[in-house]
Amino acid sequence: MIPLLRYQFALLLRSHRWLPPVLLYAALLAVGVQSGGPILDSYGVAAFGLLPLAAWLCRICVTGEPPAARSCTAAAAGPGKAHLAAVLTGSLSAVGLALVGTAYVSLVADPHASDHRTAVPVLAAACAGLLAGLVCVLLGTAVGALCNWPVLRSTGWSIVSGLLAALLLLIGSASPANAAVSGLVTGSAHGTITLPWLPLLAGLLIAGAATALACRLSSRRS
């Protein structure tokens, strides 16, 4: 798996297709995370942007190889394993950006609640913000795995379904991502921190199931 991940990361970096999603996430942080803003609200903004970012990066990775190169990789390592490496590359790239976003918020945000009077522990807030970001990354990975090849072969349907799925997961009341981000916003109003362990577990299960399905289909359709 390590050689496959190195290969996929090399493809991602050389393609420069990662620039648009990364620049958009940087713009979101620059606009949405104001210097001196409440720290938990700022972590909510940073986590919110990670779901579409992860879905986009996953799409870039699973569609980055030309069909002939994909066939060669699948023949050498197995189609399921090769596809898993592509999905993991997108997900791990989003995790790296989640760490960057968490560090940025810690540096510029005000460690107080929304009233700017109630102190909020920075380390605990960073843990909550990072966990919420990981929840969004996992659900974005699930969107990227299910809304692209080999589950959906049409580029148009892949993009439309991916956008709709990301939107529903961000605003849906039953979504683990919505629960994690809402927990940060609610905590900012009251000056309390709740670590989103249940949304994280749900995100792991959903991302794992979606990735397993995509890898299984890649074995059948390669």
Side-chain angles (χ1 to χ4, degrees), residues 148-167:
N148 294 291
W149 189 92
V151 182
L152 296 177
R153 299 186 181 186
S154 168
T155 300
W157 281 112
S158 295
I159 294 174
V160 171
S161 61
L163 288 172
L164 289 176
L167 179 63

Side-chain angles (χ1 to χ4, degrees), residues 128-203:
L130 180 59
L131 290 177
L134 292 178
V135 173
C136 292
V137 167
L138 288 168
L139 292 177
T141 300
V143 171
L146 292 178
C147 296
N148 294 291
W149 189 92
V151 182
L152 296 177
R153 299 186 181 186
S154 168
T155 300
W157 281 112
S158 295
I159 294 174
V160 171
S161 61
L163 288 172
L164 289 176
L167 179 63
L168 289 174
L169 286 172
L170 286 171
I171 66 175
S173 58
S175 167
N178 182 280
V181 173
S182 297
L184 292 172
V185 176
T186 303
S188 181
H190 302 286
T192 58
I193 297 174
T194 302
L195 299 178
W197 294 115
L198 286 178
L200 181 64
L201 177 60

Side-chain angles (χ1 to χ4, degrees), residues 67-90:
R70 184 190 301 139
S71 298
C72 292
T73 307
K81 193 173 182 180
H83 193 73
L84 175 61
V87 174
L88 285 177
T89 300

Side-chain angles (χ1 to χ4, degrees), residues 93-120:
S93 300
V95 169
L97 291 171
L99 293 172
V100 172
T102 300
Y104 176 75
V105 172
S106 299
L107 290 173
V108 305
D110 178 22
H112 289 84
S114 298
D115 59 9
H116 293 282
R117 293 191 301 271
T118 306
V120 174

